[in-house]
Amino acid sequence: MQEATENLYSIQFVSNVTGINPHTIRAWEKRYGATTPVRDKNGRRLYSDLEIQRLDVLQKLVSYGNSISDIAKLKKNELEKVLEKYSLEESKELELSSPRLNINETLQNIYMSINFFKLDVLGHELQKAANALSAIDFALEIVNPLISEIRKLKGEGKMESEKREQIYLIIKSHLTKKIYTINYTSAKRRKVLVASAPGQLNELGAMVAAVIFLNKQFEVEYLGGNVRANILGKLSQQFKSEYIFVGLNYSHDMTMPLAEKEKYLEELGLCFYENTEVLVGAYDYCFQLPSENMLCFNDFRNLISHIAKK
């Protein structure tokens, strides 16, 4: 089995991210050697981030009309060259045939779908935006304002938790797919750990941050939501990461009041790697930060400016 530090995912998770059904993933492996998953002690397939990226590229090339038998065994750099060629051709066609996405209109349609709980409309609008926009634009122009809107509705008591959870899962699904479309071009990448404290919107905020770091050619270890402070700190010691990003105040959740959030940062401050800088994502205010190696950001644009200076 691969090292414990590498993220490994089930075939169902890979299917959800790439849109390829599990039967096809298994068939591509058995017939064409397209992937090389590892197996757990029960014989179940587990896929690394690189395998997911590979499958995503293969799926795109198949959708362009390539036969899987012709491309299944191409190396990563060969696949990327072929994909770049088709992507350039596709972008030229889109410039000629498709109008630019009206972001304001799309957001209004999304807000309306949320208010009337029309999840089919929500999914359609998110898919349309995801198809038209790059990962970074989708995260900043669509998902980020959407987090703010849901947060506002939560604060006003206009969205019950069961509906909110369904909406969150749909948004998370589309954002996850966009994360795996980002291609690396830099061989030397700085490392960042991205996680969030409890709260569904906290996790979406962390995912937006993950897109930003990936777009800036960081090596991202996305740890997910509801990550304990002491575990996050210990992981930074193992990875010796340049940054930690933690989503801590996007959710408007009363289950984690200000005192608990500050306690979270205090616990993290006791154990994170000394050369790591902790970047805290928050909307309304900056916290009492227990370490000089911690910074608080209430705007993703400011976060982009900060990491670009390094």
Side-chain angles (χ1 to χ4, degrees):
M1 175 153 315
Q2 299 183 16
E3 294 180 9
T5 56
E6 182 175 8
N7 293 325
L8 295 171
Y9 308 92
S10 69
I11 194 169
Q12 188 58 57
F13 177 88
V14 176
S15 176
N16 292 339
V17 168
T18 63
I20 312 170
N21 70 56
H23 174 76
T24 300
I25 295 173
R26 287 190 289 265
W28 285 3
E29 175 197 341
K30 290 179 179 178
R31 297 177 189 173
Y32 310 111
T35 61
T36 53
V38 297
R39 303 272 183 158
D40 66 12
K41 62 182 181 181
N42 297 315
R44 291 175 296 197
R45 292 171 171 83
L46 295 173
Y47 296 81
S48 67
D49 292 311
L50 290 176
E51 288 292 333
I52 295 176
Q53 292 167 17
R54 179 178 178 81
L55 282 166
D56 188 66
V57 173
L58 289 171
Q59 170 76 337
K60 284 185 174 66
L61 292 176
V62 169
S63 72
Y64 290 145
N66 293 275
S67 170
I68 185 62
S69 61
D70 294 332
I71 60 175
K73 293 188 177 181
L74 291 180
K75 296 179 180 178
K76 182 175 182 289
N77 63 329
E78 294 172 328
L79 283 173
E80 288 174 349
K81 286 180 182 178
V82 178
L83 180 62
E84 183 179 5
K85 170 190 170 185
Y86 280 94
S87 296
L88 287 172
E89 291 176 356
E90 184 183 42
S91 64
K92 290 177 183 177
E93 291 177 5
L94 286 172
E95 288 176 5
L96 294 172
S97 62
S98 300
R100 179 174 172 79
L101 183 78
N102 186 319
I103 290 177
N104 288 332
E105 181 180 304
T106 300
L107 283 173
Q108 290 308 310
N109 291 339
I110 288 173
Y111 296 160
M112 190 178 299
S113 72
I114 289 174
N115 280 305
F116 290 97
F117 198 60
K118 297 292 185 181
L119 299 188
D120 56 337
V121 177
L122 173 62
H124 172 75
E125 291 295 327
L126 287 174
Q127 186 62 61
K128 183 173 69 174
N131 289 340
L133 300 173
S134 66
I136 187 74
D137 287 338
F138 180 72
L140 292 177
E141 304 295 338
I142 300 297
V143 177
N144 188 36
L146 184 49
I147 294 171
S148 298
E149 179 69 13
I150 296 172
R151 190 173 192 274
K152 184 189 79 170
L153 293 173
K154 285 178 64 179
E156 295 171 351
K158 295 180 179 179
M159 185 180 292
E160 59 190 71
S161 61
E162 186 174 301
K163 289 183 178 180
R164 191 168 65 241
E165 183 168 357
Q166 294 176 64
I167 290 168
Y168 151 77
L169 289 172
I170 292 172
I171 300 168
K172 181 179 178 181
S173 172
H174 286 277
L175 190 52
T176 301
K177 291 175 185 177
K178 290 301 285 184
I179 285 175
Y180 282 100
T181 66
I182 300 174
N183 293 318
Y184 299 115
T185 58
S186 173
K188 296 181 179 179
R189 300 200 301 274
R190 297 175 287 169
K191 184 178 284 292
V192 57
L193 304 183
V194 179
S196 74
Q200 293 169 342
L201 294 185
N202 284 339
E203 183 172 8
L204 289 182
M207 292 179 76
V208 171
V211 171
I212 290 170
F213 280 106
L214 287 166
N215 185 258
K216 296 300 180 182
Q217 298 298 304
F218 277 76
E219 182 179 348
V220 175
E221 289 290 341
Y222 179 69
L223 306 175
N226 201 19
V227 177
R228 286 185 291 163
N230 64 320
I231 297 299
L232 182 54
K234 289 176 181 177
L235 283 170
S236 74
Q237 294 179 29
Q238 291 288 329
F239 283 103
K240 295 180 171 53
S241 55
E242 181 169 344
Y243 293 117
I244 291 172
F245 179 92
V246 56
L248 195 58
N249 192 43
Y250 296 106
S251 271
H252 215 322
D253 282 332
M254 297 307 294
T255 53
M256 196 177 186
L258 175 60
E260 285 190 27
K261 292 171 183 175
E262 290 184 338
K263 182 180 178 182
Y264 185 99
L265 292 178
E266 288 173 5
E267 291 180 4
L268 180 57
L270 292 173
C271 58
F272 71 88
Y273 179 57
E274 59 183 357
N275 293 330
T276 295
E277 191 172 49
V278 178
L279 310 177
V280 182
Y283 268 157
D284 287 344
Y285 50 80
C286 289
F287 303 89
Q288 288 294 113
L289 300 174
S291 169
E292 62 181 14
N293 277 19
M294 290 184 175
L295 292 173
C296 193
F297 294 88
N298 60 6
D299 188 301
F300 283 116
R301 306 287 179 183
N302 295 335
L303 172 65
I304 293 170
S305 298
H306 179 73
I307 62 176
K309 293 176 184 175
K310 298 287 184 173

